Amino acid sequence: MIVELLIIAVLVAVACAIPGVFLVLKKMSLISDAISHSVLLGIVVGFMLTHSLSSPLLFIGAVITGLLTVFLSEVLVKSRLVKEDAAIGLVFPALFSIGVILVSRYTGNVHLDTDAVLLGELIFTPLDRLTFMGRDLGPRMIWVMSIILIINLAVLFLFFKELKLATFDEGLSASLGFSPILIQYILMIDVSITTVGAFDAVGSILVVALMIVPAATAYLLTDNLKTMVILSIIIGIVASLLGIAFSWIIDASAAGGMAVMVGIIFFFTFLFSPSRGIIVLKKRRKNQKIEFAIKMLVVHLLHHSNTKSELEECREQHLLEHINWEPRFAKQVVQKAKKDELVTDREGILILSKTGINMAQESMLR
Amino acid sequence: MDKNWAIDAEDITIAYHDKPVIWDVDMQVPKGVMMAIIGPNGAGKSTLIKGLLGLIPLTAGDVKVFGESYKKVRKKVGYVPQRTAVDWDFPTTVLDVVLMGTYGRLGWVKRPRKEEIILAHEAIEKVGMSEFANRQISQLSGGQQQRVFLARALTQNAEIYLMDEPFQGVDATTERAIISILKELKNSGKTVIAVHHDLQTVPDYFDWVTLLNVRRIAGGPVKEVFTKENLRKAYGGRISFLEDKSE
Amino acid sequence: MFDGIFSDYTLRIVSLGAALLGITSGALGSFAVLRKQSLLGDSISHAALPGIVLAFMITGSKNSFILLIGAAIAGWIATTFILSIIRNTRITSDGAQGTILSVFFGLGLLLLTYVQSKPNAAQAGLDKYLFGQAAALLPEDIKSSAILGGLSIIIMIIIWKELKLLTFDPDFGQSLGFSSKLIDYLITALIVIAIVTGLQTVGVILMSSMLIAPAAAARQWTNKLGSMVILSSIFGAIAGIFGAVISCIIPNLPTGPSIVLSLTAIVILSLLFAPDRGVISSMIKRYNNRFDFSLQKLLLTLWNLEKKHGGEKRAHDSLTISFTQPGIKNVNTALLALEQKGWVKKDPKGNWLLSEEGRIKAINIEKGETL
């Protein structure tokens, strides 16, 4: 049972992480947030028609509402009556509201209630078995998520090149014959299907956490699309397993635990990522500031060497007044420049050395 | 620190992180001139204007306006941002936008009164937009939008005007109207500095020019510094169309 | 249905609460929409959930004021995180918002389920903050939202001029010496307050609609900021009252979704029927333009026919005329419209010819005049 449950969690995490990469890169994270809200309507309508949460009709309903969200938002934007952010913010709450009202009025307590909408019921997913001619084939969820995972992987491999192009340069990929709109819609269908699949396990809203956050975290760690996909998957798996363990210990919702864990991983990456973490970034910016200041100093000196104003402009004292650096910072810069033998001091006037002149000329070439 | 300079900028460097957009630029602008800032795309012209106004922090350097720091003489400085910098679908009227020019004098919280409204109407009339005073701004053409921005700056009643691309995307009539207003300003002793794109019109419109390409290439009276040589320095090889014009 | 469970008193409290909420969020939402920060409100309101639950866990109190302070703090922290991610990494604003929104909301749900698992009845009712429950509003709740909402609207009125200036043209405003950072902080704080005051009624998940929808609807009816803010408040209040009261009357109808659907109805009506900007009005305008254009063409044709016959004022039957007008679908309607203007006449045989006036008009059109 527990193994099956963990398998389900891992499958959900991996299936969500894959489209997430493209959502983050294509700056469409909030569209996926919108879709995850509004697919509820499709799920509920499907459920009301079939009285089953396992009917394929639910997927069709969800895909339709997912696409409807995107389509309606685009219609609003094209009408130029509202701006893009407001358009999205008008459409998905409306569709979601209809869904919530249907859930609470007509389906109440029959396998589908607002808790299921928000949190999913991961613990119960292994109980729903798939049987074939009297033989137990394992939890239905494993089959469903495996199929979705295969679809996501297929989308990933089939469109990897195209998505890479579309992600980095929409104009270019359009001119090469791949319609960015088509790719966008395929991606949106994929997001809708994945959301419905993951619905049982983590509810429709927290799907967003498993889609966006692993990808956003990976984006802070690598510049390579392939690595980013793999990292997102790993982060998703680790977060969901830790999250389940954590939520068992404190006896709370597994979906909430998974979202919090992936958030914690993101937070630590945000602070400590060796390439883009805040701490490294702050240190690098400080170094850059001094290095840049030295460049600025040599360029300034070069500008004014051999001119009438040299005596005035190249005095150390002048730098303090005119370049408007703080005295301590200016001293630091001049000292570093002297140490690097870029300038020499002749009675308070700074003279460029040969290396200094070279550096100044190189800097000006940009 | 000469008070005769309208603007005295020394050693200005502006950088985003470690990428310099403006490199160690000195620029002195005498009072009462009409100066164009020209240079190729990405030369840092808009950045320079914004740096002078304190809208972007200077990485290094110092700006004096009439010998004082900008903060002290803010009220003597009028600004015309790029027309495309704002959302023209904003729910407001021409009069309302022009009135914004008086906000600086009013300070926090105080509202414009009759006096300011009269001032705004005068400015609107000056740019030939009287019949549009109550028009919603989204219904204006590009040229009309630019006139509104100019009118707003006029209500600032400044001594020096900094303009970012005031002729971009405007019709010929508007361009003529704007230039005649600017010349009028200059004749009444005001200083005008404009980022400009069209090299052909520089000698007709302006009497002073600064050539910029990250660094300052040259600056001074148009007759002296608007030369083939300087233009080539600023624009690289992309200047052939001017060959027979600039001398 | 009124009697029994719900007294007039309850409905009055509910309506008052919903109206206050609608006014506050409608007014401040206008600025959120104009500053293109609509979805920031969504992030802030989702992120408020852990603040509510934590405030309960720390104080053990369910006093709405204490819980809402927790919500405001959490919303503020979330905003700071979002801005810090945007500023310091290459993750764009959508990714930052999606990340913070979902993680904070997940944390809220985790804490909520944790609290609920404790054998302690005190926590009952916290989940009304998810979808809102107007029927549970108490007079104290109305008082605190009246104070907070009133305060934020007063601040808005005091700094009205600055809000307008820095929303429209921040660079220019800053060149005049107004600090755009200060205004950014103020407006964000006001929006946080507006969100927080609505959480009990609308819930964290749908609260952003209270900011976006009234403003988006109001924008269609007016071209002035002042009227937009007032109208947005009115729309917010109407939808708030309507949605809240209905949700009290009909069982199993959560308040948040009920209010959101009322708002959506207002938005749809506005988009369709607003004069000038509305879809129908611009369709009519486009149709009129096209019709005017076809009238113009028809008039010219008649004039050209006349010229071809050497100026002889001959009448033509509509069939002949329609052969010369392949672009116009209904020549008869167009002819009748021209007749109404007095530019064409029908002779006794039912054939059409230009009137004196119509001839002058046609000559003018030839010179480039339009109708």
Side-chain angles (χ1 to χ4, degrees), chain B residues 165-213:
Chain B
E165 305 267 9
F167 303 112
Q168 183 150 60
V170 307
D171 50 287
T173 330
T174 301
E175 180 155 340
R176 273 195 303 276
I178 292 178
I179 202 69
S180 86
I181 291 171
L182 298 191
K183 288 203 162 143
E184 209 176 296
L185 287 173
K186 174 192 143 62
N187 290 339
S188 57
K190 317 262 172 165
T191 313
V192 176
I193 298 175
V195 171
H196 193 54
H197 244 129
D198 181 10
L199 294 179
Q200 320 276 356
T201 52
V202 169
D204 296 337
Y205 291 175
F206 299 94
D207 55 1
W208 205 269
V209 66
T210 290
L211 285 88
L212 192 73
N213 190 357

Short mmCIF file of all heavy atoms in Angstrom, two decimals, chain B residues 165-213:
data_model
loop_
_atom_site.label_atom_id
_atom_site.label_comp_id
_atom_site.label_asym_id
_atom_site.label_seq_id
_atom_site.Cartn_x
_atom_site.Cartn_y
_atom_site.Cartn_z
N GLU B 165 13.20 62.33 -27.39
CA GLU B 165 12.61 62.03 -28.70
C GLU B 165 11.29 62.76 -28.97
O GLU B 165 10.28 62.13 -29.25
CB GLU B 165 12.34 60.52 -28.83
CG GLU B 165 13.54 59.65 -28.57
CD GLU B 165 14.29 59.31 -29.84
OE1 GLU B 165 13.96 59.90 -30.90
OE2 GLU B 165 15.22 58.50 -29.77
N PRO B 166 11.29 64.09 -28.89
CA PRO B 166 10.02 64.80 -29.05
C PRO B 166 9.45 64.72 -30.46
O PRO B 166 8.29 65.08 -30.67
CB PRO B 166 10.38 66.24 -28.69
CG PRO B 166 11.83 66.35 -28.93
CD PRO B 166 12.41 65.01 -28.64
N PHE B 167 10.24 64.27 -31.44
CA PHE B 167 9.73 64.24 -32.82
C PHE B 167 9.43 62.84 -33.31
O PHE B 167 9.11 62.64 -34.47
CB PHE B 167 10.72 64.92 -33.78
CG PHE B 167 11.02 66.33 -33.39
CD1 PHE B 167 12.28 66.69 -32.94
CD2 PHE B 167 10.04 67.30 -33.46
CE1 PHE B 167 12.56 67.99 -32.57
CE2 PHE B 167 10.31 68.61 -33.10
CZ PHE B 167 11.57 68.95 -32.65
N GLN B 168 9.56 61.85 -32.41
CA GLN B 168 9.39 60.48 -32.89
C GLN B 168 7.92 60.16 -33.17
O GLN B 168 7.06 60.34 -32.31
CB GLN B 168 9.91 59.49 -31.84
CG GLN B 168 9.81 58.07 -32.36
CD GLN B 168 10.90 57.20 -31.78
OE1 GLN B 168 10.99 57.05 -30.58
NE2 GLN B 168 11.73 56.64 -32.64
N GLY B 169 7.66 59.73 -34.38
CA GLY B 169 6.32 59.29 -34.74
C GLY B 169 5.29 60.40 -34.80
O GLY B 169 4.11 60.16 -34.63
N VAL B 170 5.73 61.65 -35.05
CA VAL B 170 4.74 62.73 -35.18
C VAL B 170 4.65 63.15 -36.64
O VAL B 170 5.57 62.96 -37.42
CB VAL B 170 5.09 63.94 -34.28
CG1 VAL B 170 5.28 63.50 -32.86
CG2 VAL B 170 6.29 64.68 -34.81
N ASP B 171 3.50 63.75 -37.00
CA ASP B 171 3.30 64.20 -38.36
C ASP B 171 4.08 65.49 -38.61
O ASP B 171 4.54 66.15 -37.68
CB ASP B 171 1.81 64.44 -38.60
CG ASP B 171 1.21 65.31 -37.51
OD1 ASP B 171 1.02 64.82 -36.37
OD2 ASP B 171 0.97 66.50 -37.77
N ALA B 172 4.20 65.86 -39.87
CA ALA B 172 5.03 67.01 -40.24
C ALA B 172 4.52 68.32 -39.63
O ALA B 172 5.30 69.15 -39.17
CB ALA B 172 5.10 67.12 -41.75
N THR B 173 3.18 68.47 -39.60
CA THR B 173 2.61 69.71 -39.03
C THR B 173 2.99 69.82 -37.57
O THR B 173 3.39 70.89 -37.10
CB THR B 173 1.07 69.68 -39.12
OG1 THR B 173 0.69 68.92 -40.25
CG2 THR B 173 0.51 71.07 -39.17
N THR B 174 2.84 68.71 -36.84
CA THR B 174 3.18 68.73 -35.42
C THR B 174 4.66 69.05 -35.23
O THR B 174 5.03 69.83 -34.37
CB THR B 174 2.85 67.37 -34.77
OG1 THR B 174 1.47 67.11 -34.95
CG2 THR B 174 3.16 67.39 -33.30
N GLU B 175 5.49 68.43 -36.07
CA GLU B 175 6.93 68.67 -35.93
C GLU B 175 7.23 70.16 -36.09
O GLU B 175 7.97 70.74 -35.29
CB GLU B 175 7.70 67.85 -36.97
CG GLU B 175 9.20 68.05 -36.88
CD GLU B 175 10.00 66.89 -37.43
OE1 GLU B 175 9.45 65.78 -37.54
OE2 GLU B 175 11.19 67.10 -37.75
N ARG B 176 6.59 70.79 -37.10
CA ARG B 176 6.80 72.23 -37.29
C ARG B 176 6.29 73.02 -36.09
O ARG B 176 6.95 73.94 -35.61
CB ARG B 176 6.10 72.70 -38.57
CG ARG B 176 6.97 72.54 -39.83
CD ARG B 176 6.40 73.34 -40.98
NE ARG B 176 5.02 72.98 -41.31
CZ ARG B 176 4.70 71.95 -42.10
NH1 ARG B 176 5.64 71.22 -42.66
NH2 ARG B 176 3.43 71.67 -42.33
N ALA B 177 5.10 72.64 -35.60
CA ALA B 177 4.53 73.36 -34.46
C ALA B 177 5.43 73.24 -33.24
O ALA B 177 5.70 74.23 -32.55
CB ALA B 177 3.15 72.79 -34.14
N ILE B 178 5.93 72.03 -33.00
CA ILE B 178 6.78 71.83 -31.82
C ILE B 178 8.05 72.64 -31.94
O ILE B 178 8.46 73.33 -31.01
CB ILE B 178 7.10 70.32 -31.64
CG1 ILE B 178 5.84 69.56 -31.25
CG2 ILE B 178 8.17 70.14 -30.58
CD1 ILE B 178 6.04 68.07 -31.10
N ILE B 179 8.65 72.60 -33.15
CA ILE B 179 9.94 73.29 -33.28
C ILE B 179 9.76 74.80 -33.12
O ILE B 179 10.62 75.47 -32.54
CB ILE B 179 10.64 72.91 -34.61
CG1 ILE B 179 12.14 73.16 -34.50
CG2 ILE B 179 10.11 73.70 -35.78
CD1 ILE B 179 12.84 72.23 -33.57
N SER B 180 8.60 75.31 -33.56
CA SER B 180 8.44 76.76 -33.41
C SER B 180 8.24 77.12 -31.94
O SER B 180 8.71 78.17 -31.49
CB SER B 180 7.29 77.27 -34.29
OG SER B 180 6.08 77.15 -33.61
N ILE B 181 7.57 76.26 -31.20
CA ILE B 181 7.44 76.52 -29.75
C ILE B 181 8.81 76.46 -29.06
O ILE B 181 9.15 77.29 -28.23
CB ILE B 181 6.47 75.51 -29.11
CG1 ILE B 181 5.05 75.78 -29.60
CG2 ILE B 181 6.53 75.61 -27.59
CD1 ILE B 181 4.05 74.73 -29.20
N LEU B 182 9.59 75.45 -29.46
CA LEU B 182 10.91 75.32 -28.85
C LEU B 182 11.77 76.54 -29.15
O LEU B 182 12.51 77.03 -28.30
CB LEU B 182 11.61 74.04 -29.34
CG LEU B 182 10.92 72.72 -29.00
CD1 LEU B 182 11.83 71.54 -29.31
CD2 LEU B 182 10.52 72.68 -27.54
N LYS B 183 11.67 77.04 -30.40
CA LYS B 183 12.48 78.21 -30.75
C LYS B 183 12.02 79.42 -29.94
O LYS B 183 12.84 80.26 -29.54
CB LYS B 183 12.38 78.47 -32.25
CG LYS B 183 13.17 77.41 -33.04
CD LYS B 183 13.59 77.87 -34.41
CE LYS B 183 14.73 76.95 -34.91
NZ LYS B 183 14.68 76.66 -36.32
N GLU B 184 10.71 79.49 -29.73
CA GLU B 184 10.17 80.58 -28.92
C GLU B 184 10.75 80.52 -27.50
O GLU B 184 11.14 81.53 -26.92
CB GLU B 184 8.65 80.43 -28.86
CG GLU B 184 7.88 81.71 -28.68
CD GLU B 184 6.39 81.40 -28.73
OE1 GLU B 184 5.90 80.96 -29.80
OE2 GLU B 184 5.75 81.56 -27.69
N LEU B 185 10.79 79.28 -26.95
CA LEU B 185 11.36 79.10 -25.63
C LEU B 185 12.80 79.58 -25.60
O LEU B 185 13.22 80.29 -24.68
CB LEU B 185 11.30 77.62 -25.22
CG LEU B 185 9.95 77.04 -24.85
CD1 LEU B 185 10.06 75.54 -24.64
CD2 LEU B 185 9.42 77.70 -23.57
N LYS B 186 13.53 79.18 -26.61
CA LYS B 186 14.95 79.56 -26.67
C LYS B 186 15.08 81.08 -26.74
O LYS B 186 15.92 81.67 -26.06
CB LYS B 186 15.59 78.91 -27.89
CG LYS B 186 17.02 79.34 -28.15
CD LYS B 186 17.46 78.89 -29.52
CE LYS B 186 18.35 79.91 -30.21
NZ LYS B 186 19.59 80.19 -29.53
N ASN B 187 14.22 81.72 -27.56
CA ASN B 187 14.31 83.17 -27.71
C ASN B 187 14.01 83.90 -26.41
O ASN B 187 14.45 85.02 -26.20
CB ASN B 187 13.36 83.65 -28.81
CG ASN B 187 13.87 83.21 -30.17
OD1 ASN B 187 15.07 82.91 -30.32
ND2 ASN B 187 12.99 83.14 -31.16
N SER B 188 13.20 83.25 -25.54
CA SER B 188 12.94 83.91 -24.26
C SER B 188 13.97 83.48 -23.21
O SER B 188 13.74 83.63 -22.02
CB SER B 188 11.53 83.63 -23.78
OG SER B 188 11.34 82.23 -23.67
N GLY B 189 15.10 82.95 -23.69
CA GLY B 189 16.22 82.70 -22.79
C GLY B 189 16.23 81.33 -22.12
O GLY B 189 17.06 81.06 -21.27
N LYS B 190 15.28 80.45 -22.50
CA LYS B 190 15.27 79.12 -21.88
C LYS B 190 16.25 78.20 -22.61
O LYS B 190 16.62 78.45 -23.75
CB LYS B 190 13.88 78.51 -21.99
CG LYS B 190 12.77 79.48 -21.68
CD LYS B 190 12.29 79.33 -20.27
CE LYS B 190 11.33 80.44 -19.93
NZ LYS B 190 10.56 80.21 -18.74
N THR B 191 16.63 77.15 -21.93
CA THR B 191 17.53 76.17 -22.52
C THR B 191 16.72 74.93 -22.88
O THR B 191 15.88 74.50 -22.10
CB THR B 191 18.62 75.78 -21.50
OG1 THR B 191 19.15 76.97 -20.93
CG2 THR B 191 19.71 74.98 -22.15
N VAL B 192 16.97 74.40 -24.08
CA VAL B 192 16.24 73.21 -24.52
C VAL B 192 17.24 72.13 -24.90
O VAL B 192 18.17 72.37 -25.66
CB VAL B 192 15.34 73.53 -25.74
CG1 VAL B 192 14.67 72.25 -26.23
CG2 VAL B 192 14.31 74.57 -25.38
N ILE B 193 17.05 70.95 -24.34
CA ILE B 193 17.90 69.81 -24.69
C ILE B 193 16.99 68.69 -25.16
O ILE B 193 16.06 68.31 -24.46
CB ILE B 193 18.72 69.32 -23.48
CG1 ILE B 193 19.66 70.44 -23.01
CG2 ILE B 193 19.51 68.07 -23.82
CD1 ILE B 193 20.41 70.09 -21.75
N ALA B 194 17.23 68.18 -26.37
CA ALA B 194 16.35 67.14 -26.90
C ALA B 194 17.15 66.00 -27.48
O ALA B 194 18.14 66.21 -28.20
CB ALA B 194 15.43 67.73 -27.98
N VAL B 195 16.75 64.78 -27.15
CA VAL B 195 17.29 63.62 -27.85
C VAL B 195 16.69 63.62 -29.24
O VAL B 195 15.48 63.77 -29.40
CB VAL B 195 16.90 62.33 -27.12
CG1 VAL B 195 17.28 61.11 -27.95
CG2 VAL B 195 17.56 62.26 -25.76
N HIS B 196 17.53 63.49 -30.25
CA HIS B 196 17.04 63.67 -31.61
C HIS B 196 17.56 62.55 -32.50
O HIS B 196 18.65 62.03 -32.31
CB HIS B 196 17.52 65.03 -32.14
CG HIS B 196 16.82 65.45 -33.38
ND1 HIS B 196 15.45 65.52 -33.47
CD2 HIS B 196 17.29 65.82 -34.60
CE1 HIS B 196 15.12 65.91 -34.68
NE2 HIS B 196 16.21 66.10 -35.38
N HIS B 197 16.72 62.18 -33.48
CA HIS B 197 17.10 61.07 -34.33
C HIS B 197 17.49 61.48 -35.74
O HIS B 197 18.34 60.88 -36.36
CB HIS B 197 15.91 60.08 -34.42
CG HIS B 197 16.24 58.76 -33.83
ND1 HIS B 197 15.45 58.15 -32.89
CD2 HIS B 197 17.30 57.96 -34.01
CE1 HIS B 197 16.01 57.01 -32.52
NE2 HIS B 197 17.13 56.88 -33.19
N ASP B 198 16.83 62.50 -36.23
CA ASP B 198 16.94 62.84 -37.65
C ASP B 198 18.12 63.78 -37.87
O ASP B 198 18.05 64.99 -37.62
CB ASP B 198 15.63 63.50 -38.09
CG ASP B 198 15.67 63.84 -39.56
OD1 ASP B 198 16.62 63.40 -40.24
OD2 ASP B 198 14.75 64.55 -40.01
N LEU B 199 19.23 63.20 -38.37
CA LEU B 199 20.43 64.01 -38.52
C LEU B 199 20.24 65.15 -39.51
O LEU B 199 20.82 66.22 -39.36
CB LEU B 199 21.59 63.12 -38.97
CG LEU B 199 22.04 62.07 -37.96
CD1 LEU B 199 23.18 61.25 -38.54
CD2 LEU B 199 22.47 62.72 -36.67
N GLN B 200 19.40 64.93 -40.52
CA GLN B 200 19.22 65.94 -41.56
C GLN B 200 18.78 67.28 -40.99
O GLN B 200 19.15 68.34 -41.49
CB GLN B 200 18.15 65.49 -42.57
CG GLN B 200 18.19 64.04 -42.93
CD GLN B 200 19.19 63.74 -44.03
OE1 GLN B 200 19.81 64.64 -44.57
NE2 GLN B 200 19.36 62.46 -44.33
N THR B 201 17.92 67.23 -39.95
CA THR B 201 17.33 68.47 -39.47
C THR B 201 18.14 69.12 -38.35
O THR B 201 17.79 70.21 -37.90
CB THR B 201 15.91 68.20 -38.95
OG1 THR B 201 15.96 67.13 -38.01
CG2 THR B 201 14.95 67.85 -40.07
N VAL B 202 19.22 68.46 -37.93
CA VAL B 202 19.97 69.02 -36.80
C VAL B 202 20.40 70.47 -37.04
O VAL B 202 20.14 71.34 -36.21
CB VAL B 202 21.17 68.11 -36.45
CG1 VAL B 202 22.12 68.81 -35.47
CG2 VAL B 202 20.69 66.81 -35.85
N PRO B 203 21.03 70.77 -38.19
CA PRO B 203 21.49 72.16 -38.38
C PRO B 203 20.34 73.16 -38.44
O PRO B 203 20.51 74.32 -38.06
CB PRO B 203 22.22 72.11 -39.72
CG PRO B 203 22.52 70.67 -39.96
CD PRO B 203 21.43 69.91 -39.31
N ASP B 204 19.16 72.74 -38.92
CA ASP B 204 18.02 73.67 -39.00
C ASP B 204 17.42 73.93 -37.62
O ASP B 204 17.02 75.05 -37.32
CB ASP B 204 16.91 73.09 -39.89
CG ASP B 204 17.38 72.93 -41.31
OD1 ASP B 204 18.34 73.65 -41.67
OD2 ASP B 204 16.82 72.09 -42.03
N TYR B 205 17.32 72.89 -36.82
CA TYR B 205 16.58 73.00 -35.57
C TYR B 205 17.45 73.49 -34.41
O TYR B 205 16.97 74.18 -33.53
CB TYR B 205 15.98 71.65 -35.17
CG TYR B 205 14.86 71.16 -36.05
CD1 TYR B 205 14.31 69.90 -35.86
CD2 TYR B 205 14.33 71.95 -37.05
CE1 TYR B 205 13.28 69.43 -36.65
CE2 TYR B 205 13.30 71.50 -37.86
CZ TYR B 205 12.78 70.24 -37.65
OH TYR B 205 11.76 69.77 -38.43
N PHE B 206 18.69 73.06 -34.38
CA PHE B 206 19.47 73.24 -33.16
C PHE B 206 20.69 74.12 -33.40
O PHE B 206 21.17 74.24 -34.53
CB PHE B 206 19.93 71.88 -32.61
CG PHE B 206 18.78 70.97 -32.25
CD1 PHE B 206 18.29 70.04 -33.16
CD2 PHE B 206 18.19 71.07 -31.00
CE1 PHE B 206 17.23 69.22 -32.82
CE2 PHE B 206 17.12 70.24 -30.66
CZ PHE B 206 16.64 69.32 -31.57
N ASP B 207 21.18 74.74 -32.32
CA ASP B 207 22.42 75.51 -32.47
C ASP B 207 23.57 74.89 -31.68
O ASP B 207 24.69 75.34 -31.72
CB ASP B 207 22.21 76.96 -32.05
CG ASP B 207 21.64 77.09 -30.65
OD1 ASP B 207 21.44 76.03 -29.99
OD2 ASP B 207 21.40 78.22 -30.21
N TRP B 208 23.25 73.83 -30.96
CA TRP B 208 24.28 73.21 -30.13
C TRP B 208 24.03 71.71 -30.23
O TRP B 208 22.90 71.27 -30.44
CB TRP B 208 24.09 73.69 -28.68
CG TRP B 208 25.34 73.64 -27.84
CD1 TRP B 208 25.75 72.61 -27.07
CD2 TRP B 208 26.30 74.68 -27.68
NE1 TRP B 208 26.91 72.93 -26.45
CE2 TRP B 208 27.29 74.21 -26.80
CE3 TRP B 208 26.46 75.97 -28.21
CZ2 TRP B 208 28.39 74.96 -26.42
CZ3 TRP B 208 27.56 76.72 -27.82
CH2 TRP B 208 28.52 76.22 -26.94
N VAL B 209 25.08 70.90 -30.10
CA VAL B 209 24.87 69.47 -30.28
C VAL B 209 25.88 68.68 -29.45
O VAL B 209 27.00 69.14 -29.22
CB VAL B 209 24.97 69.08 -31.78
CG1 VAL B 209 26.36 69.29 -32.32
CG2 VAL B 209 24.51 67.64 -32.01
N THR B 210 25.42 67.54 -28.94
CA THR B 210 26.32 66.60 -28.29
C THR B 210 26.21 65.27 -29.02
O THR B 210 25.11 64.76 -29.22
CB THR B 210 25.96 66.40 -26.81
OG1 THR B 210 26.27 67.59 -26.10
CG2 THR B 210 26.73 65.25 -26.20
N LEU B 211 27.35 64.75 -29.46
CA LEU B 211 27.35 63.44 -30.11
C LEU B 211 27.74 62.40 -29.08
O LEU B 211 28.76 62.56 -28.40
CB LEU B 211 28.33 63.41 -31.28
CG LEU B 211 27.91 64.14 -32.53
CD1 LEU B 211 28.32 65.60 -32.47
CD2 LEU B 211 28.48 63.47 -33.76
N LEU B 212 26.93 61.38 -29.00
CA LEU B 212 27.10 60.41 -27.94
C LEU B 212 27.14 59.01 -28.53
O LEU B 212 26.37 58.68 -29.44
CB LEU B 212 25.92 60.54 -26.97
CG LEU B 212 26.01 59.83 -25.63
CD1 LEU B 212 27.00 60.57 -24.74
CD2 LEU B 212 24.65 59.78 -24.96
N ASN B 213 28.10 58.23 -28.07
CA ASN B 213 28.01 56.80 -28.32
C ASN B 213 28.67 56.10 -27.15
O ASN B 213 29.85 55.78 -27.18
CB ASN B 213 28.68 56.42 -29.64
CG ASN B 213 28.37 54.97 -30.00
OD1 ASN B 213 27.71 54.28 -29.23
ND2 ASN B 213 28.87 54.51 -31.13
#
